[in-house]
Each structure stands twice: as C-alpha cells, then as structure tokens.
C-alpha cells in the first residue's frame, strides 16, 4: 500500500465507494463490500447463483491491490455544527462525538478497533489539558490525529476519516432499521441541544433517530463508558443487518448519501486496498476494545487513562510498545504463563437453564477465583459460551478458556463494564459441568 505525498482529487463516482465503506467499516460484511466494488464493474454475471460468491469473484478478478503492511486510520464521528456554523460548511469542525482507531493488520488478518472515550483527559498543544473530543474543534483532523498519537504511545496514524452525525441516522434508515436490546428505560431531555430521548426496554427494531438516541444516551451510572458499549452493540446489529440480501439493492443510495457526510484524506488506490482487505474478513476477525481507564467524576468528568493497561493493548493490538517502538511480528496472543486468580470475572446467563450462571460462578470460586460475580442474564439463549474480553487482555482470556475447558474468546467491550472478562454461559456449559 502506498501513501501519496500530494493530494489528488479522485472522480466522485470512485471516491464515494470507500466513503460508504468507512461508514460501514466496523460492520465489515463481505457481501456488502463486494457490492460496493461491483458498482464499478461493467461486467454482469449471466446467472448469479449466490450474490456474495459472485461479488467476491468480481472483486478478485477486477482489482489487484494488496495490503502489505499494517495501516492505522483514525475514524471520528463529529458533533453537529452550531447554528451559526451551518452556513459556513463547517460540518466537520465540531467536537468528536466518537473516536475509534482502526488497525488493518495483514500479518494476522485482523481488523482491530480501539474506542476512545470522548472525555479522555489529554494535553492539547496550544490549549493545555482538556478532553480529547475538543482536539478536532480547535485544530481539525491534523490536531486530533496528533493528540491521539501522543496519547497512544506515539502510534503512527496513517490516515483519518471524519463522519458527520447525520450519516449514521441515514445509514440505519437505509438499512430498514436495526434490531437492538434496550436494557432499561432511556429517558432524557436537553433543550439546549434540542435532544429528547425516550426508549422503552426490550428487544426492538429501531430507526435512525432512535439508533442515534441509543448511541448518545449518557444519563446512567456508566456515562460515556456505557455509551461506548452501546455503540459497539449497534455496530454488531448493523453487521447482522448487512447480512440480509435485500440490503444489496440499497447500496447505490447508500453511496449517494455517504458522499456528503464523509471527509477523508485517503486516495482511491488506498480505498480499494482497504476494501479488498476487509472483503475476506470473518466476524471473529474483527476485534473491538476500549481504551482502559477510570472515570474521575465531578463536574468535568474526565476519563483518566490506565497507563499500564493502555500499554498492554497498544502492544497486543497495535504492536507498539510504551516508547513508540514498533514491535515485530503478529500479535502475541498469550501474555502470561499463569492465569491470575485476582481477575474480575462477571458471569452472565445466556442458556436455557436459569441456574447456569450460578453454577459456573460457583465452580470458578471453588477454583480460587475470588472476584467472581453474577450479572443479569440475557433475554435470549446462546448455543455456545462466549468469553468477552472486556479489558482487552487476549492472553489471559485464552488462559481462562483453557481453564474452564469450553467457550470461545471474543474481543469486544460489550460485557459487564467493570469486569476484566464476562463469561456469557451458553447451552454448551452442560458438556463441562
């Protein structure tokens, strides 16, 4: 993959392909990514048997770009402009409502995503100590990129993508809504932002406005951290929706919509290279973690980074040590030889047996894990147990998996917020107990 030194304007009909891809980057569904590339192809298969298979074949035949080294892209969702900014076209000049560092890693064929809380305490050059979401407001994408790199051990950030908030709502509407589980009543009103949130608990299909409310709600005990967790749940819901064949016909409309909502310094060749890399990824090859830290509370409510945990995540997922040195080779999956008995393990029932979580928690306690607790179960059952890597420590998660003898490791921050790991007990638990 090459990085040009000059900005080159690309034809809009080509450039917009990756704009849509970036909006969907976290959902990464092969059939949809294939559809994006097929829009450029003048070839039409005569008798398509399977849309995903045909589109994937078209991609491989038409484009030869290959990702040869890791690439880091900063993706920012930008707050709506103030009323006096709208006429100035400053839709990308607000604070960053969400911030994700995305790592495309060809060495181990994974897409790694690090969610950065918007209230993270940082030093902003020329401004002093502030919140990381202010960097784009004060200095645009350049300053935001500099601040994120400084905060994350001088990691190299190759490109940026800024998405205005309207894109997310329109995307969900174009997909026909997405299905999510609302864990509790969400009610909030802010007259200054003209924002009113009113969501009832339970499983439901939500539209674009409701999805925006679900993602932005912060009036609970977890504040911005709970918000990041819900954003990741929405990412998974969108990925599921993208598996539906009827979404493919909406791709041209999605492309037209995304054009006005995305700003990026990626060029066309880079877009195609990243699209091709994402084309063949499976869901388990997408790993999502959150920048670890603690909420200081108070009026300013800063998120203070846990330096040691950050260093571990940057080394494991982004292959950068605490000094900024790029580590050779793929991710080191096992960071420890022995599993610590002090880890915080939340156990959540997702099986047909109402006593499953208690049984697993009791087993762990008897094995010497004295920081184990049961959290409210899921409203549905799962066939397979999942070990959610809430704290980002994949090495310890694999050791935990070996210890209990079942379950699959999943890098995601959708478990119990204060845990290191959340074990979602599926119906396969009975094979072990």
């Amino acid at each position: 993959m090459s990085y040009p030194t000059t900005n080159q304007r690309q034809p809009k009909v080509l450039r917009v392909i990756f704009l849509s891809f970036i909006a969907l980057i976290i959902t990464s569904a092969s059939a949809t990514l294939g559809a994006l590339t097929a829009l450029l192809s003048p070839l039409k298969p005569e008798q398509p048997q399977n849309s995903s298979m045909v589109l994937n074949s078209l991609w491989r035949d038409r484009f030869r770009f290959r990702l040869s080294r890791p690439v880091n892209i900063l993706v920012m969702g930008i707050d709506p402009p103030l009323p006096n900014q709208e006429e100035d076209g400053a839709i990308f000049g607000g604070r960053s409502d969400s911030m994700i560092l995305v790592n495309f890693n060809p060495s181990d064929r994974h897409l790694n995503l690090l969610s950065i809380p918007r209230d993270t305490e940082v030093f902003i050059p020329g401004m002093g100590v502030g919140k990381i979401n202010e960097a784009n407001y004060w200095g645009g994408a350049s300053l935001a990129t500099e601040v994120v790199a400084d905060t994350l051990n001088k990691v190299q950030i190759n490109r940026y993508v800024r998405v205005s908030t309207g894109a997310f709502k329109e995307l969900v509407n174009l997909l026909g809504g997405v299905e999510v589980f609302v864990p509790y009543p969400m009610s909030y009103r802010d007259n200054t932002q003209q924002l009113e949130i009113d969501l009832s608990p339970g499983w439901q299909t939500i539209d674009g406005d409701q999805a925006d409310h679900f993602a932005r709600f912060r009036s609970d005990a977890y504040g911005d951290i709970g918000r990041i967790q819900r954003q990741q749940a929405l990412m998974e819901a969108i990925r599921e929706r993208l598996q539906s064949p009827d979404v493919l016909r909406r791709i041209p409309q999605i492309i037209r919509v995304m054009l006005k909502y995305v700003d990026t310094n990626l060029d066309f060749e880079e877009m195609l290279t990243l699209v091709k890399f994402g084309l063949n990824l499976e869901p388990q090859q997408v790993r999502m973690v959150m920048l670890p830290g603690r909420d200081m509370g108070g009026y300013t409510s800063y998120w203070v980074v846990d330096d040691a945990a950050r260093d571990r995540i940057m080394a494991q997922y982004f292959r950068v040590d605490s000094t900024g040195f790029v580590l050779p080779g793929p991710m080191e999956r096992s960071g420890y030889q022995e599993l610590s008995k002090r880890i915080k393990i939340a156990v959540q029932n997702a099986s047909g047996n109402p006593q499953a979580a208690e049984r697993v928690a009791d087993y762990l306690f008897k094995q010497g894990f004295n920081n184990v607790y049961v959290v409210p179960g899921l409203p549905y059952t799962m066939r397979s147990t999942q070990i959610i890597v809430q704290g980002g420590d994949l090495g310890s998660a694999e050791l935990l998996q070996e210890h209990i003898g079942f379950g699959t490791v999943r890098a995601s921050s959708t478990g119990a917020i204060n845990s290191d790991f959340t074990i979602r007990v599926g119906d396969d638990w009975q094979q072990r107990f």
Side-chain angles (χ1 to χ4, degrees):
M1 180 175 181
S2 62
Y3 302 116
T5 57
T6 60
N7 293 327
Q8 300 175 349
R9 294 182 58 85
Q10 304 295 335
K12 287 186 177 181
V13 69
L14 303 180
R15 179 180 178 80
V16 75
I17 288 179
F18 193 71
L19 302 187
S20 294
F21 167 69
I22 285 295
L24 305 174
I25 197 173
I26 303 165
T27 61
S28 199
S30 62
T32 301
L33 294 176
L36 297 179
T37 64
L39 290 174
L40 282 183
S41 174
L43 302 179
K44 300 293 182 181
E46 294 183 357
Q47 294 181 331
Q49 299 297 320
N50 179 285
S51 60
S52 179
M53 184 181 302
V54 170
L55 292 170
N56 288 352
S57 176
L58 278 174
W59 171 263
R60 295 189 184 93
D61 291 342
R62 298 288 292 176
F63 301 106
R64 303 298 179 187
F65 301 103
R66 183 176 65 86
L67 187 64
S68 60
R69 59 190 175 96
V71 174
N72 297 321
I73 298 178
L74 180 62
V75 181
M76 293 176 282
I78 306 300
D79 276 336
L82 298 174
N84 61 346
Q85 292 180 311
E86 292 177 351
E87 295 183 358
D88 298 332
I91 63 171
F92 301 109
R95 292 176 173 83
S96 53
D97 184 62
S98 58
M99 191 175 275
I100 300 173
L101 184 62
V102 184
N103 167 255
F104 295 80
N105 195 332
S107 62
D108 62 2
R109 294 185 49 75
H110 277 86
L111 185 65
N112 301 308
L113 303 104
L114 176 64
S115 294
I116 305 170
R118 59 177 286 159
D119 293 338
T120 299
E121 184 181 40
V122 295
F123 177 79
I124 302 176
M127 300 305 301
V129 174
K131 296 183 178 182
I132 202 166
N133 70 327
E134 300 170 353
N136 184 75
Y137 175 81
W138 292 115
S142 175
L143 183 59
T145 299
E146 178 185 349
V147 171
V148 171
D150 288 343
T151 304
L152 302 179
N153 297 348
K154 301 294 183 179
V155 64
Q156 182 180 15
I157 300 177
N158 306 106
R159 293 291 183 265
Y160 73 85
V161 177
R162 295 189 294 182
V163 184
S164 67
T165 54
F168 178 69
K169 292 190 286 187
E170 291 208 40
L171 172 61
V172 172
N173 285 332
L174 289 171
L175 294 177
V178 295
E179 188 178 24
V180 299
F181 178 72
V182 180
Y184 43 77
M186 294 183 179
S187 180
Y188 175 74
R189 185 183 185 93
D190 187 335
N191 292 325
T192 61
Q193 297 187 51
Q194 297 182 340
L195 175 64
E196 183 173 358
I197 298 176
D198 186 15
L199 295 175
S200 300
W203 278 103
Q204 54 197 282
T205 298
I206 58 178
D207 61 20
D209 285 329
Q210 292 170 318
D212 181 60
H213 294 168
F214 182 77
R216 295 176 65 185
F217 183 76
R218 301 175 69 190
S219 297
D220 58 12
Y222 300 113
D224 195 42
I225 306 310
R227 181 172 169 274
I228 287 179
Q229 192 172 49
R230 287 189 296 275
Q231 287 175 350
Q232 293 197 359
L234 271 173
M235 294 172 193
E236 295 182 1
I238 293 175
R239 184 179 63 204
E240 290 295 322
R241 185 71 184 98
L242 286 170
Q243 306 300 324
S244 176
D246 69 326
V247 169
L248 293 178
R249 63 183 176 83
R250 299 192 182 109
I251 295 299
Q253 187 178 1
I254 290 176
I255 288 179
R256 289 194 297 271
V257 169
M258 290 300 105
L259 177 61
K260 61 181 179 180
Y261 286 118
V262 179
D263 167 55
T264 180
N265 60 351
L266 284 154
D267 72 14
F268 179 52
E269 180 180 335
E270 293 167 346
M271 295 175 191
L272 291 180
T273 302
L274 297 179
V275 169
K276 183 176 182 181
F277 178 79
L279 179 66
N280 294 311
L281 292 181
E282 298 297 331
Q284 63 270 21
Q285 292 174 296
V286 180
R287 301 183 290 216
M288 297 185 292
V289 293
M290 184 180 70
L291 182 63
R294 64 188 186 279
D295 189 350
M296 293 301 293
Y299 180 76
T300 54
S301 187
Y302 280 111
W303 180 254
V304 178
V305 176
D306 181 329
D307 292 341
R310 174 204 57 201
D311 293 347
R312 185 193 67 237
I313 283 178
M314 294 309 297
Q316 280 194 320
Y317 292 84
F318 293 86
R319 307 303 295 145
V320 175
D321 71 8
S322 60
T323 68
F325 176 75
V326 178
L327 301 170
M331 171 187 286
E332 297 174 2
R333 299 293 302 227
S334 296
Y336 308 98
Q337 298 297 319
E338 183 176 348
L339 182 62
S340 170
K341 296 297 179 67
R342 297 192 301 270
I343 58 176
K344 300 177 185 176
I345 305 176
V347 185
Q348 186 175 42
N349 192 17
S351 76
N353 187 321
Q355 302 300 318
E358 285 77 8
R359 291 276 301 277
V360 172
D362 184 61
Y363 165 79
L364 290 169
F365 186 78
K366 290 178 179 178
Q367 294 292 309
F369 297 92
N370 48 22
N371 204 347
V372 178
Y373 54 100
V374 175
V375 296
L378 296 177
Y380 55 89
T381 60
M382 297 168 50
R383 286 183 297 177
S384 302
T385 296
Q386 293 180 343
I387 301 173
I388 307 299
V389 191
Q390 183 69 21
D393 188 352
L394 279 171
S396 290
E398 292 181 341
L399 293 176
L400 179 60
Q401 178 191 39
E402 293 175 5
H403 188 87
I404 65 176
F406 67 103
T408 58
V409 173
R410 182 181 176 192
S412 172
S413 295
T414 58
I417 288 180
N418 292 320
S419 69
D420 294 316
F421 307 101
T422 296
I423 300 178
R424 287 183 178 151
V425 184
D427 286 332
D428 59 345
W429 74 282
Q430 300 180 69
Q431 302 174 11
R432 179 66 174 81
F433 295 92

